[in-house]
Amino acid sequence: HRFNVQISVDGIEPSQALRAPGSFAVIDRLLDGLRQRHRGFFRRRVSIAVTVSAPAIPHLADSFDYLLAKDVMDMAFTPAIGHPRLSDSQLTELDRQFARIFRRARAHYQATGEVPLALFRKQAPEAREAEESDLACAATDGNNLVVDVDGEVYPCALLIRSCQRVARPALARRLA
């Protein structure tokens, strides 16, 4: 049926533990099992979405290396929504982590011709236009489902509870 699967993986164990303690081993086994039993599907149809929160920034390059070692060929890094602004030191660390990721991705490209991190891929103008028009929640087209680390299914990644941080207690109570 040629469907795609996107798995939310926040990276190495310390990063994954920020969202769901104890979930790293489960996800690690899942990735290994998928890759071993369904190699072609894994390489062509599985993508990994890494949600980057401020506490995970120091692990970002190691997380990229981990996923690359798992033979993941389609990764996207996106910022966590609803978190406070990054400090100057966190922005400096983010720059340092992305410099490491870029060097590793360039070496991988030179060796294989593959660009696993979506952020570094060239896109045709038509693809950019389509992406810009798809900024609304995936729930609008009914073709996407998101499964969170706790097994809950959502029609949109923006609704995943484990990704949400609400700064105002009154708003958090109302959302609950």
Side-chain angles (χ1 to χ4, degrees):
H1 294 283
R2 294 190 177 140
F3 62 90
N4 296 324
V5 173
Q6 184 180 66
I7 303 171
S8 179
V9 178
D10 291 339
I12 60 174
E13 197 279 330
S15 291
Q16 187 64 40
L18 293 168
R19 184 187 314 193
S23 64
F24 176 79
V26 174
I27 291 172
D28 189 60
R29 282 192 307 272
L30 170 77
L31 294 176
D32 286 343
L34 274 173
R35 188 183 72 226
Q36 289 167 2
R37 288 190 297 277
H38 308 285
R39 184 162 180 74
F41 175 79
F42 185 80
R43 292 198 99 232
R44 288 186 307 276
R45 300 285 183 185
V46 173
S47 64
I48 300 297
V50 177
T51 303
V52 181
S53 63
I57 291 172
H59 310 293
L60 201 53
D62 289 338
S63 294
F64 176 80
D65 287 343
Y66 160 76
L67 292 168
L68 202 55
K70 291 286 183 189
D71 206 23
V72 172
M73 288 300 109
D74 191 5
M75 298 178 225
F77 289 5
T78 57
I81 296 172
H83 289 255
R85 291 181 83 82
L86 297 178
S87 68
D88 288 343
S89 64
Q90 289 169 321
L91 288 171
T92 299
E93 179 63 15
L94 186 61
D95 283 342
R96 192 176 76 73
Q97 291 292 317
F98 266 106
R100 280 184 55 204
I101 291 168
F102 178 77
R103 287 191 301 274
R104 178 74 166 106
R106 183 177 54 198
H108 181 78
Y109 173 73
Q110 290 169 336
T112 68
E114 297 171 329
V115 181
L117 187 57
L119 177 66
F120 294 157
R121 286 189 207 125
K122 291 181 182 179
Q123 289 184 337
E126 314 82 63
R128 281 193 296 274
E129 288 172 15
E131 271 188 19
E132 289 168 9
S133 68
D134 291 340
L135 292 178
C137 189
T140 59
D141 68 8
N143 291 323
N144 298 299
L145 294 176
V146 181
V147 181
D148 196 11
V149 294
D150 61 3
E152 289 292 317
V153 178
Y154 299 90
C156 175
L158 296 175
L159 302 175
I160 296 175
R161 285 196 188 107
S162 68
C163 294
Q164 296 175 355
R165 300 286 185 272
V166 181
R168 298 176 187 242
L171 181 58
R173 285 191 303 275
R174 190 162 174 110
L175 286 172

